């Protein structure tokens, strides 16, 4: 009975070690300056900003900020706009992070919002490996449809697209849309 628990523990330890190695590589390659949770200065998201939250400290879920909500590709394939609270619901992370530049301004491509809006409430054939939230975000930002499986690949593409390191900063969204 204890053997399956030992294997499960070993698997989780290996996954965690692998994620730490991937983090170090992204820093060494110059794609990332601050990972989510690595810096405490909050950034106010703006329409078209790229956001993420953690899932069990091994994975990230990403979306696009739009009018106080987050547009995400859900696991059932629905592209929808949800509140920040809903974006965090049923995930282990309790903070939303914004991709920012070194001046702590959100990284935004000027045409991102115009790519996001027509996709709202459409379905996309979701697949954890070949068509996930990272691919959706990358396509909205860059306009290119390419396979993106991991958060590291998204960071590499965003770094190249914006020609700079990504600073994942905590989001300060509580005062962004007062009165709504």
């Amino acid at each position: 009975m204890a053997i399956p628990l030992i294997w499960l523990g070993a698997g989780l330890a290996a996954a965690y070690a692998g994620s730490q190695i991937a983090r170090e590589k992204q820093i060494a390659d110059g794609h990332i300056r601050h990972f989510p949770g690595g810096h405490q200065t909050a950034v106010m998201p703006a329409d078209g900003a790229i956001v993420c939250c953690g899932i069990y400290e091994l994975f990230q879920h990403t979306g696009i900020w739009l009018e106080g909500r987050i547009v995400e590709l859900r696991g059932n394939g629905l592209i929808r706009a949800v509140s920040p609270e809903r974006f965090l619901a049923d995930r282990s992370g309790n903070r939303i992070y914004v991709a920012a530049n070194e001046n702590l301004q959100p990284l935004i491509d000027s045409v991102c919002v115009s790519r996001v809006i027509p996709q709202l409430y459409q379905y996309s054939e979701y697949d954890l490996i070949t068509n996930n939230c990272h691919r959706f975000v990358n396509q909205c930002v860059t306009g290119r449809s390419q396979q993106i499986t991991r958060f590291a690949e998204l960071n590499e593409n965003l770094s190249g697209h914006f020609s700079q390191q990504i600073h994942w900063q905590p989001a300060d969204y509580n005062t962004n849309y007062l009165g709504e």
Side-chain angles (χ1 to χ4, degrees), residues 43-67:
V43 170
M44 181 104 35
D47 289 350
I50 303 123
V51 297
C52 78
C53 69
I55 304 173
Y56 305 116
E57 295 195 32
L58 292 175
F59 306 103
Q60 289 75 29
H61 179 53
T62 53
I64 303 290
W65 188 269
L66 181 64
E67 297 181 0

PDB file of all heavy atoms in Angstrom, residues 43-67:
ATOM      1  N   VAL A  43       1.498  45.672 -10.347  1.00  0.00           N
ATOM      2  CA  VAL A  43       1.282  46.368 -11.616  1.00  0.00           C
ATOM      3  C   VAL A  43      -0.209  46.350 -11.925  1.00  0.00           C
ATOM      4  O   VAL A  43      -0.873  45.324 -11.766  1.00  0.00           O
ATOM      5  CB  VAL A  43       2.075  45.673 -12.748  1.00  0.00           C
ATOM      6  CG1 VAL A  43       1.678  46.209 -14.107  1.00  0.00           C
ATOM      7  CG2 VAL A  43       3.574  45.821 -12.518  1.00  0.00           C
ATOM      8  N   MET A  44      -0.727  47.476 -12.373  1.00  0.00           N
ATOM      9  CA  MET A  44      -2.132  47.573 -12.753  1.00  0.00           C
ATOM     10  C   MET A  44      -2.293  47.012 -14.179  1.00  0.00           C
ATOM     11  O   MET A  44      -1.691  47.527 -15.111  1.00  0.00           O
ATOM     12  CB  MET A  44      -2.590  49.030 -12.729  1.00  0.00           C
ATOM     13  CG  MET A  44      -4.034  49.211 -13.079  1.00  0.00           C
ATOM     14  SD  MET A  44      -5.162  49.551 -11.730  1.00  0.00           S
ATOM     15  CE  MET A  44      -4.274  50.535 -10.593  1.00  0.00           C
ATOM     16  N   PRO A  45      -3.069  45.952 -14.353  1.00  0.00           N
ATOM     17  CA  PRO A  45      -3.261  45.425 -15.709  1.00  0.00           C
ATOM     18  C   PRO A  45      -4.076  46.399 -16.559  1.00  0.00           C
ATOM     19  O   PRO A  45      -4.871  47.173 -16.045  1.00  0.00           O
ATOM     20  CB  PRO A  45      -4.018  44.112 -15.494  1.00  0.00           C
ATOM     21  CG  PRO A  45      -4.586  44.194 -14.131  1.00  0.00           C
ATOM     22  CD  PRO A  45      -3.790  45.191 -13.353  1.00  0.00           C
ATOM     23  N   ALA A  46      -3.861  46.363 -17.842  1.00  0.00           N
ATOM     24  CA  ALA A  46      -4.603  47.176 -18.800  1.00  0.00           C
ATOM     25  C   ALA A  46      -5.118  46.241 -19.893  1.00  0.00           C
ATOM     26  O   ALA A  46      -4.640  45.106 -20.036  1.00  0.00           O
ATOM     27  CB  ALA A  46      -3.697  48.251 -19.393  1.00  0.00           C
ATOM     28  N   ASP A  47      -6.090  46.690 -20.654  1.00  0.00           N
ATOM     29  CA  ASP A  47      -6.652  45.859 -21.711  1.00  0.00           C
ATOM     30  C   ASP A  47      -5.552  45.362 -22.654  1.00  0.00           C
ATOM     31  O   ASP A  47      -4.734  46.143 -23.135  1.00  0.00           O
ATOM     32  CB  ASP A  47      -7.708  46.628 -22.500  1.00  0.00           C
ATOM     33  CG  ASP A  47      -8.974  46.848 -21.692  1.00  0.00           C
ATOM     34  OD1 ASP A  47      -9.107  46.258 -20.597  1.00  0.00           O
ATOM     35  OD2 ASP A  47      -9.837  47.621 -22.158  1.00  0.00           O
ATOM     36  N   GLY A  48      -5.544  44.048 -22.861  1.00  0.00           N
ATOM     37  CA  GLY A  48      -4.547  43.411 -23.706  1.00  0.00           C
ATOM     38  C   GLY A  48      -3.356  42.862 -22.940  1.00  0.00           C
ATOM     39  O   GLY A  48      -2.492  42.212 -23.530  1.00  0.00           O
ATOM     40  N   ALA A  49      -3.290  43.088 -21.620  1.00  0.00           N
ATOM     41  CA  ALA A  49      -2.178  42.577 -20.816  1.00  0.00           C
ATOM     42  C   ALA A  49      -2.268  41.057 -20.688  1.00  0.00           C
ATOM     43  O   ALA A  49      -3.358  40.486 -20.633  1.00  0.00           O
ATOM     44  CB  ALA A  49      -2.173  43.222 -19.438  1.00  0.00           C
ATOM     45  N   ILE A  50      -1.110  40.424 -20.619  1.00  0.00           N
ATOM     46  CA  ILE A  50      -1.028  38.980 -20.440  1.00  0.00           C
ATOM     47  C   ILE A  50      -0.978  38.709 -18.940  1.00  0.00           C
ATOM     48  O   ILE A  50      -0.188  39.319 -18.221  1.00  0.00           O
ATOM     49  CB  ILE A  50       0.238  38.417 -21.115  1.00  0.00           C
ATOM     50  CG1 ILE A  50       0.240  38.792 -22.592  1.00  0.00           C
ATOM     51  CG2 ILE A  50       0.323  36.909 -20.945  1.00  0.00           C
ATOM     52  CD1 ILE A  50       1.446  39.545 -23.010  1.00  0.00           C
ATOM     53  N   VAL A  51      -1.824  37.810 -18.467  1.00  0.00           N
ATOM     54  CA  VAL A  51      -1.874  37.487 -17.048  1.00  0.00           C
ATOM     55  C   VAL A  51      -1.749  35.979 -16.846  1.00  0.00           C
ATOM     56  O   VAL A  51      -2.002  35.193 -17.766  1.00  0.00           O
ATOM     57  CB  VAL A  51      -3.172  38.012 -16.381  1.00  0.00           C
ATOM     58  CG1 VAL A  51      -3.245  39.527 -16.454  1.00  0.00           C
ATOM     59  CG2 VAL A  51      -4.404  37.386 -17.001  1.00  0.00           C
ATOM     60  N   CYS A  52      -1.355  35.611 -15.623  1.00  0.00           N
ATOM     61  CA  CYS A  52      -1.261  34.184 -15.289  1.00  0.00           C
ATOM     62  C   CYS A  52      -1.541  33.976 -13.820  1.00  0.00           C
ATOM     63  O   CYS A  52      -1.516  34.911 -13.019  1.00  0.00           O
ATOM     64  CB  CYS A  52       0.112  33.619 -15.665  1.00  0.00           C
ATOM     65  SG  CYS A  52       1.438  34.020 -14.521  1.00  0.00           S
ATOM     66  N   CYS A  53      -1.810  32.721 -13.471  1.00  0.00           N
ATOM     67  CA  CYS A  53      -1.902  32.301 -12.076  1.00  0.00           C
ATOM     68  C   CYS A  53      -1.303  30.904 -11.983  1.00  0.00           C
ATOM     69  O   CYS A  53      -1.173  30.204 -12.983  1.00  0.00           O
ATOM     70  CB  CYS A  53      -3.346  32.320 -11.566  1.00  0.00           C
ATOM     71  SG  CYS A  53      -4.418  31.070 -12.282  1.00  0.00           S
ATOM     72  N   GLY A  54      -0.932  30.518 -10.769  1.00  0.00           N
ATOM     73  CA  GLY A  54      -0.301  29.228 -10.556  1.00  0.00           C
ATOM     74  C   GLY A  54      -1.297  28.101 -10.360  1.00  0.00           C
ATOM     75  O   GLY A  54      -2.420  28.315  -9.904  1.00  0.00           O
ATOM     76  N   ILE A  55      -0.841  26.915 -10.707  1.00  0.00           N
ATOM     77  CA  ILE A  55      -1.609  25.690 -10.477  1.00  0.00           C
ATOM     78  C   ILE A  55      -0.655  24.705  -9.803  1.00  0.00           C
ATOM     79  O   ILE A  55       0.262  24.186 -10.443  1.00  0.00           O
ATOM     80  CB  ILE A  55      -2.155  25.094 -11.791  1.00  0.00           C
ATOM     81  CG1 ILE A  55      -2.996  26.116 -12.544  1.00  0.00           C
ATOM     82  CG2 ILE A  55      -2.945  23.820 -11.509  1.00  0.00           C
ATOM     83  CD1 ILE A  55      -3.419  25.661 -13.933  1.00  0.00           C
ATOM     84  N   TYR A  56      -0.830  24.517  -8.501  1.00  0.00           N
ATOM     85  CA  TYR A  56      -0.035  23.578  -7.703  1.00  0.00           C
ATOM     86  C   TYR A  56       1.471  23.830  -7.797  1.00  0.00           C
ATOM     87  O   TYR A  56       2.261  22.914  -7.702  1.00  0.00           O
ATOM     88  CB  TYR A  56      -0.363  22.135  -8.089  1.00  0.00           C
ATOM     89  CG  TYR A  56      -1.830  21.846  -7.975  1.00  0.00           C
ATOM     90  CD1 TYR A  56      -2.576  21.531  -9.104  1.00  0.00           C
ATOM     91  CD2 TYR A  56      -2.479  21.948  -6.762  1.00  0.00           C
ATOM     92  CE1 TYR A  56      -3.943  21.308  -9.016  1.00  0.00           C
ATOM     93  CE2 TYR A  56      -3.841  21.722  -6.668  1.00  0.00           C
ATOM     94  CZ  TYR A  56      -4.554  21.404  -7.798  1.00  0.00           C
ATOM     95  OH  TYR A  56      -5.898  21.195  -7.712  1.00  0.00           O
ATOM     96  N   GLU A  57       1.861  25.052  -7.993  1.00  0.00           N
ATOM     97  CA  GLU A  57       3.254  25.485  -8.056  1.00  0.00           C
ATOM     98  C   GLU A  57       4.075  24.743  -9.103  1.00  0.00           C
ATOM     99  O   GLU A  57       5.308  24.813  -9.094  1.00  0.00           O
ATOM    100  CB  GLU A  57       3.911  25.389  -6.680  1.00  0.00           C
ATOM    101  CG  GLU A  57       3.280  26.343  -5.689  1.00  0.00           C
ATOM    102  CD  GLU A  57       4.094  26.544  -4.454  1.00  0.00           C
ATOM    103  OE1 GLU A  57       5.332  26.485  -4.535  1.00  0.00           O
ATOM    104  OE2 GLU A  57       3.493  26.775  -3.401  1.00  0.00           O
ATOM    105  N   LEU A  58       3.425  24.034  -9.997  1.00  0.00           N
ATOM    106  CA  LEU A  58       4.125  23.339 -11.075  1.00  0.00           C
ATOM    107  C   LEU A  58       3.728  23.869 -12.441  1.00  0.00           C
ATOM    108  O   LEU A  58       4.502  23.783 -13.381  1.00  0.00           O
ATOM    109  CB  LEU A  58       3.834  21.836 -11.026  1.00  0.00           C
ATOM    110  CG  LEU A  58       4.399  21.065  -9.848  1.00  0.00           C
ATOM    111  CD1 LEU A  58       3.911  19.629  -9.881  1.00  0.00           C
ATOM    112  CD2 LEU A  58       5.917  21.122  -9.850  1.00  0.00           C
ATOM    113  N   PHE A  59       2.524  24.397 -12.542  1.00  0.00           N
ATOM    114  CA  PHE A  59       1.990  24.833 -13.826  1.00  0.00           C
ATOM    115  C   PHE A  59       1.419  26.241 -13.703  1.00  0.00           C
ATOM    116  O   PHE A  59       1.172  26.714 -12.594  1.00  0.00           O
ATOM    117  CB  PHE A  59       0.865  23.889 -14.294  1.00  0.00           C
ATOM    118  CG  PHE A  59       1.275  22.452 -14.321  1.00  0.00           C
ATOM    119  CD1 PHE A  59       0.873  21.593 -13.312  1.00  0.00           C
ATOM    120  CD2 PHE A  59       2.069  21.955 -15.338  1.00  0.00           C
ATOM    121  CE1 PHE A  59       1.255  20.257 -13.315  1.00  0.00           C
ATOM    122  CE2 PHE A  59       2.446  20.626 -15.355  1.00  0.00           C
ATOM    123  CZ  PHE A  59       2.042  19.776 -14.344  1.00  0.00           C
ATOM    124  N   GLN A  60       1.187  26.884 -14.844  1.00  0.00           N
ATOM    125  CA  GLN A  60       0.548  28.184 -14.866  1.00  0.00           C
ATOM    126  C   GLN A  60      -0.615  28.152 -15.851  1.00  0.00           C
ATOM    127  O   GLN A  60      -0.591  27.409 -16.829  1.00  0.00           O
ATOM    128  CB  GLN A  60       1.538  29.281 -15.305  1.00  0.00           C
ATOM    129  CG  GLN A  60       2.603  29.608 -14.289  1.00  0.00           C
ATOM    130  CD  GLN A  60       3.693  28.551 -14.209  1.00  0.00           C
ATOM    131  OE1 GLN A  60       3.990  27.872 -15.179  1.00  0.00           O
ATOM    132  NE2 GLN A  60       4.291  28.410 -13.043  1.00  0.00           N
ATOM    133  N   HIS A  61      -1.603  28.969 -15.549  1.00  0.00           N
ATOM    134  CA  HIS A  61      -2.743  29.172 -16.444  1.00  0.00           C
ATOM    135  C   HIS A  61      -2.662  30.618 -16.904  1.00  0.00           C
ATOM    136  O   HIS A  61      -2.418  31.512 -16.094  1.00  0.00           O
ATOM    137  CB  HIS A  61      -4.055  28.903 -15.708  1.00  0.00           C
ATOM    138  CG  HIS A  61      -5.276  29.113 -16.535  1.00  0.00           C
ATOM    139  ND1 HIS A  61      -5.462  28.506 -17.762  1.00  0.00           N
ATOM    140  CD2 HIS A  61      -6.368  29.888 -16.327  1.00  0.00           C
ATOM    141  CE1 HIS A  61      -6.628  28.889 -18.253  1.00  0.00           C
ATOM    142  NE2 HIS A  61      -7.192  29.730 -17.400  1.00  0.00           N
ATOM    143  N   THR A  62      -2.849  30.870 -18.198  1.00  0.00           N
ATOM    144  CA  THR A  62      -2.683  32.217 -18.743  1.00  0.00           C
ATOM    145  C   THR A  62      -3.947  32.697 -19.437  1.00  0.00           C
ATOM    146  O   THR A  62      -4.786  31.898 -19.855  1.00  0.00           O
ATOM    147  CB  THR A  62      -1.502  32.265 -19.738  1.00  0.00           C
ATOM    148  OG1 THR A  62      -1.679  31.249 -20.726  1.00  0.00           O
ATOM    149  CG2 THR A  62      -0.179  32.058 -19.037  1.00  0.00           C
ATOM    150  N   GLY A  63      -4.059  34.018 -19.541  1.00  0.00           N
ATOM    151  CA  GLY A  63      -5.187  34.651 -20.212  1.00  0.00           C
ATOM    152  C   GLY A  63      -4.839  36.078 -20.585  1.00  0.00           C
ATOM    153  O   GLY A  63      -3.720  36.540 -20.369  1.00  0.00           O
ATOM    154  N   ILE A  64      -5.826  36.788 -21.129  1.00  0.00           N
ATOM    155  CA  ILE A  64      -5.662  38.183 -21.566  1.00  0.00           C
ATOM    156  C   ILE A  64      -6.638  39.056 -20.784  1.00  0.00           C
ATOM    157  O   ILE A  64      -7.838  38.768 -20.729  1.00  0.00           O
ATOM    158  CB  ILE A  64      -5.953  38.332 -23.084  1.00  0.00           C
ATOM    159  CG1 ILE A  64      -5.044  37.411 -23.921  1.00  0.00           C
ATOM    160  CG2 ILE A  64      -5.836  39.793 -23.514  1.00  0.00           C
ATOM    161  CD1 ILE A  64      -3.596  37.792 -23.951  1.00  0.00           C
ATOM    162  N   TRP A  65      -6.130  40.142 -20.195  1.00  0.00           N
ATOM    163  CA  TRP A  65      -6.952  41.093 -19.440  1.00  0.00           C
ATOM    164  C   TRP A  65      -7.788  41.923 -20.398  1.00  0.00           C
ATOM    165  O   TRP A  65      -7.285  42.428 -21.401  1.00  0.00           O
ATOM    166  CB  TRP A  65      -6.043  42.003 -18.618  1.00  0.00           C
ATOM    167  CG  TRP A  65      -6.793  42.877 -17.675  1.00  0.00           C
ATOM    168  CD1 TRP A  65      -7.262  44.124 -17.929  1.00  0.00           C
ATOM    169  CD2 TRP A  65      -7.175  42.562 -16.338  1.00  0.00           C
ATOM    170  NE1 TRP A  65      -7.921  44.614 -16.815  1.00  0.00           N
ATOM    171  CE2 TRP A  65      -7.873  43.667 -15.826  1.00  0.00           C
ATOM    172  CE3 TRP A  65      -6.992  41.458 -15.523  1.00  0.00           C
ATOM    173  CZ2 TRP A  65      -8.378  43.702 -14.531  1.00  0.00           C
ATOM    174  CZ3 TRP A  65      -7.498  41.488 -14.243  1.00  0.00           C
ATOM    175  CH2 TRP A  65      -8.177  42.598 -13.758  1.00  0.00           C
ATOM    176  N   LEU A  66      -9.083  42.049 -20.103  1.00  0.00           N
ATOM    177  CA  LEU A  66      -9.977  42.839 -20.948  1.00  0.00           C
ATOM    178  C   LEU A  66     -11.115  43.395 -20.099  1.00  0.00           C
ATOM    179  O   LEU A  66     -11.937  42.635 -19.585  1.00  0.00           O
ATOM    180  CB  LEU A  66     -10.545  41.976 -22.080  1.00  0.00           C
ATOM    181  CG  LEU A  66     -11.478  42.669 -23.063  1.00  0.00           C
ATOM    182  CD1 LEU A  66     -10.749  43.759 -23.846  1.00  0.00           C
ATOM    183  CD2 LEU A  66     -12.079  41.650 -24.028  1.00  0.00           C
ATOM    184  N   GLU A  67     -11.132  44.696 -19.921  1.00  0.00           N
ATOM    185  CA  GLU A  67     -12.205  45.410 -19.212  1.00  0.00           C
ATOM    186  C   GLU A  67     -12.518  44.816 -17.833  1.00  0.00           C
ATOM    187  O   GLU A  67     -13.666  44.577 -17.482  1.00  0.00           O
ATOM    188  CB  GLU A  67     -13.456  45.472 -20.080  1.00  0.00           C
ATOM    189  CG  GLU A  67     -13.243  46.242 -21.361  1.00  0.00           C
ATOM    190  CD  GLU A  67     -14.490  46.328 -22.234  1.00  0.00           C
ATOM    191  OE1 GLU A  67     -15.557  45.785 -21.853  1.00  0.00           O
ATOM    192  OE2 GLU A  67     -14.387  46.950 -23.290  1.00  0.00           O
TER     193      GLU A  67
END
